[in-house]
Amino acid sequence: MKGNLSTILCALMGLLVSEISCQAPKSPEEEVKFLKVRLQLMKNHYKLMCNQFSSLAQNCSAPAIRCTECPDGWLQVEDQCFFLSTKKQNFSTSAEKCKDIGAHLAILTTREQHEAVEKEGRRLGWSQTFYWIGLSDSENEGDWKWVDNSMLTTSFWNVQKSEPDNHTDGGPEGEDCAVVDSFTQSWYDVPCGFLYPRICQKPAVPLIEDS
Ligand SMILES: *[C@@H]1O[C@H](CO)[C@@H](O)[C@H](O)[C@H]1NC(C)=O
Ligand SMILES: *[C@@H]1O[C@H](CO)[C@@H](O)[C@H](O)[C@H]1NC(C)=O
Ligand SMILES: *[C@@H]1O[C@H](CO)[C@@H](O)[C@H](O)[C@H]1NC(C)=O
């Protein structure tokens, strides 16, 4: 315990003065232990400063920097990553396909996320403008829930078309699953068996990982 504390103190001081040589480690094992503590302190310090910079940069319109990142080909919005797939599948298969890549169907909880994914849909400009998002009311008609079981609080239904309208043109079971329409920039309810491309989502990872 006492040994650990002095290692931490020594590492802490080492952050301030790089050439400090308090209790110079004797064996490689001790040195590795010492450097590990010091590295972790620096990582924590980096994260703190990165978050501080990011929030301050917004206020003085300095160029933004990111403290988290998404895999190549994914769109980053806030601390979340989104991926638009061209494959047209039904709702449940689409949900499974997102899980296969460590993600889930998109849960769009902010206007910024909603606007960013529909803009990306327009940019990609595939023939299809509807994309599955992780929203359905198949458990309880009219009770719209996200795939993580959370309640729908902020919605972007197409109000001109009185969506969700539970239309039965697509089949007697009505419309229990939701899509974002990148053309009208709003949501529609559609039959869960229809085939559409999808939007998967997963959290962005910190640039500096904990060891
Ligand atoms: C940025 O500006 C907002 C609004 O003026 C203020 O509430 C917030 O505290 C500021 N953030 C920082 C980090 O200064
Ligand atoms: C939706 O349509 C289905 C099938 O016609 C019906 O069973 C269900 O009650 C409808 N729900 C609402 C809220 O109208
Ligand atoms: C979705 O597609 C899968 C695979 O083709 C199929 O097994 C499943 O029954 C379909 N579900 C619906 C609701 O259409």
Side-chain angles (χ1 to χ4, degrees):
M1 192 61 203
K2 202 158 173 243
N4 272 343
L5 188 63
S6 63
T7 307
I8 290 171
L9 272 177
C10 193
L12 252 179
M13 287 192 293
L15 278 182
L16 307 172
V17 187
S18 55
E19 294 308 318
I20 199 145
S21 59
C22 54
Q23 284 186 355
K26 299 200 171 56
S27 65
E29 286 78 13
E30 278 176 325
E31 191 159 3
V32 159
K33 210 170 118 192
F34 169 81
L35 286 174
K36 200 177 163 197
V37 172
R38 207 168 145 189
L39 193 60
Q40 193 52 52
L41 284 167
M42 283 179 160
K43 284 178 177 179
N44 293 344
H45 199 62
Y46 173 89
K47 273 190 208 166
L48 204 74
M49 286 181 68
C50 194
N51 290 332
Q52 226 172 5
F53 182 98
S54 296
S55 60
L56 256 179
Q58 285 179 350
N59 281 18
C60 57
S61 60
I65 57 162
R66 288 214 160 117
C67 310
T68 56
E69 66 179 349
C70 292
D72 282 349
W74 291 61
L75 172 74
Q76 181 160 3
V77 188
E78 296 155 349
D79 60 351
Q80 297 293 312
C81 309
F82 295 90
F83 181 71
L84 280 67
S85 165
T86 48
K87 271 278 182 62
K88 292 179 194 174
Q89 276 148 331
N90 67 28
F91 181 86
S92 55
T93 304
S94 300
E96 284 305 314
K97 294 290 173 187
C98 285
K99 275 190 195 160
D100 288 350
I101 53 171
H104 53 77
L105 276 176
I107 298 175
L108 307 174
T109 52
T110 67
R111 174 171 289 276
E112 192 178 359
Q113 291 172 356
H114 164 71
E115 285 177 354
V117 297
E118 59 182 28
K119 193 171 157 203
E120 181 70 357
R122 284 197 302 281
R123 190 185 71 80
L124 292 167
W126 297 324
S127 58
Q128 191 61 252
T129 64
F130 278 11
Y131 297 84
W132 289 123
I133 53 175
L135 185 64
S136 80
D137 74 338
S138 36
E139 236 172 71
N140 246 326
E141 180 61 45
D143 181 11
W144 289 90
K145 269 190 181 168
W146 293 109
V147 284
D148 66 351
N149 261 327
S150 57
M151 298 290 299
L152 174 63
T153 48
T154 311
S155 63
F156 302 96
W157 295 112
N158 189 316
V159 283
Q160 283 86 30
K161 294 263 181 79
S162 313
E163 298 289 330
D165 62 1
N166 195 30
H167 216 285
T168 47
D169 275 4
E173 66 286 352
E175 304 184 314
D176 289 341
C177 292
V179 288
V180 60
D181 176 13
S182 62
F183 181 69
T184 60
Q185 298 153 45
S186 58
W187 301 352
Y188 286 76
D189 61 345
V190 295
C192 301
F194 279 16
L195 307 181
Y196 293 121
R198 59 183 164 271
I199 305 175
C200 297
Q201 175 185 0
K202 62 181 175 182
V205 296
L207 276 175
I208 301 276
E209 292 273 28
D210 282 339
S211 46

